[in-house]
Amino acid sequence: MGTGSGSGAESNENGWGGAGPEVVLKTLVYSKEQAARDPDNYFNLRWLSCPAVEMVDGSKILYFEKAFWRTPHKPFRQRFFMVKPCPNEMKCDVELSTYAIRDAEEYKNFCDRPKDQRSQPEEVIGDVAEHLTTIYLKRCESGKRCLYEGSTPPDGFPNTWNGATYCTSELSVLKNNEIHSWDRGYDDDGNQVWGVKGAPYEFKPAPASSFVDMFPLNFPPQSMEKRIGGSFVLQE
């Protein structure tokens, strides 16, 4: 799920919890094979993400966009991800929160730009807007296909798109470098009103790319109480 040096997951079967470098590189995956198998239900989508800011407490802000494969420079969904360890009282390992972007148009194709043409850390932090969802990920048990898997709470988060009142998300990161993602919206009666119904979207690494950790787990042993408004350092 990345485009960078290829040693990431291959050198650490146990995934992100190992002692590898604390680096999040560009992530590029497609749902091309799934769309070819079932074009009536799945589009060929492009998932692209990359680091935007690293906070001093070790949490990371990533930029994320999703587009149709044929129009990669016209993303239809843009978000910020904040990645950090789960609170001690939670039975999970990684907390992945999704936020809206104040001026999403300014961030189109952020990951493909040279660093000197990207928004600066202060701007990124200022552009983190409404909290949308949080997925709680756990390390997968030994022997399973996945590295990490998790979901939003069963009652989801508020969502009003297409007649929905709440939405849920599920996410799995597999050892074969795939990401499985399933977002669904429901109305007051529990009827699904948006999102695919059969199974999650299956995103696979783009040709000539290699898997690179999306969520680093080598967080420094510091207090996680600092919030977005706190100090930061730019991810190199």
Side-chain angles (χ1 to χ4, degrees), residues 33-55:
E33 291 183 19
Q34 189 179 34
R37 291 197 313 266
D38 190 359
D40 292 336
N41 293 301
Y42 297 91
F43 295 107
N44 184 3
L45 302 179
R46 176 185 190 258
W47 165 315
L48 179 64
S49 64
C50 61
V53 177
E54 180 178 350
M55 313 295 280

Side-chain angles (χ1 to χ4, degrees), residues 133-194:
T133 62
T134 296
I135 296 176
Y136 301 98
L137 294 163
K138 292 182 179 180
R139 292 184 181 91
C140 295
E141 297 176 1
S142 177
K144 294 188 72 172
R145 289 181 62 205
C146 58
L147 295 171
Y148 282 83
E149 62 182 357
S151 66
T152 53
D155 55 354
F157 288 86
N159 183 281
T160 58
W161 190 74
N162 199 37
T165 56
Y166 71 97
C167 67
T168 62
S169 295
E170 299 177 21
L171 182 70
S172 298
V173 181
L174 278 59
K175 293 178 181 177
N176 65 352
N177 307 347
E178 293 182 28
I179 303 172
H180 289 187
S181 175
W182 202 355
D183 299 328
R184 289 169 283 181
Y186 298 89
D187 63 18
D188 281 329
D189 298 322
N191 301 309
Q192 185 176 341
V193 294
W194 60 260

Side-chain angles (χ1 to χ4, degrees), residues 94-136:
V94 179
E95 183 179 296
L96 172 64
S97 295
T98 303
Y99 292 85
I101 301 175
R102 294 194 191 281
D103 189 355
E105 187 70 25
E106 293 294 321
Y107 284 84
K108 281 187 176 180
N109 314 122
F110 176 90
C111 298
D112 292 326
R113 302 180 201 168
K115 285 189 176 182
D116 61 359
Q117 295 180 22
R118 297 180 181 180
S119 299
Q120 296 303 301
E122 299 94 334
E123 297 174 297
V124 171
I125 291 172
D127 287 334
V128 176
E130 178 189 4
H131 172 247
L132 302 174
T133 62
T134 296
I135 296 176
Y136 301 98

Side-chain angles (χ1 to χ4, degrees), residues 75-103:
F76 62 83
R77 180 175 296 171
Q78 296 170 263
R79 300 285 188 262
F80 284 131
F81 289 155
M82 177 171 277
V83 187
K84 59 185 178 181
C86 284
N88 292 334
E89 66 272 15
M90 299 287 293
K91 294 182 179 179
C92 57
D93 295 299
V94 179
E95 183 179 296
L96 172 64
S97 295
T98 303
Y99 292 85
I101 301 175
R102 294 194 191 281
D103 189 355

Side-chain angles (χ1 to χ4, degrees), residues 197-211:
K197 294 185 176 181
Y201 262 94
E202 300 172 0
F203 291 96
K204 298 187 177 183
S209 69
S210 59
F211 181 85

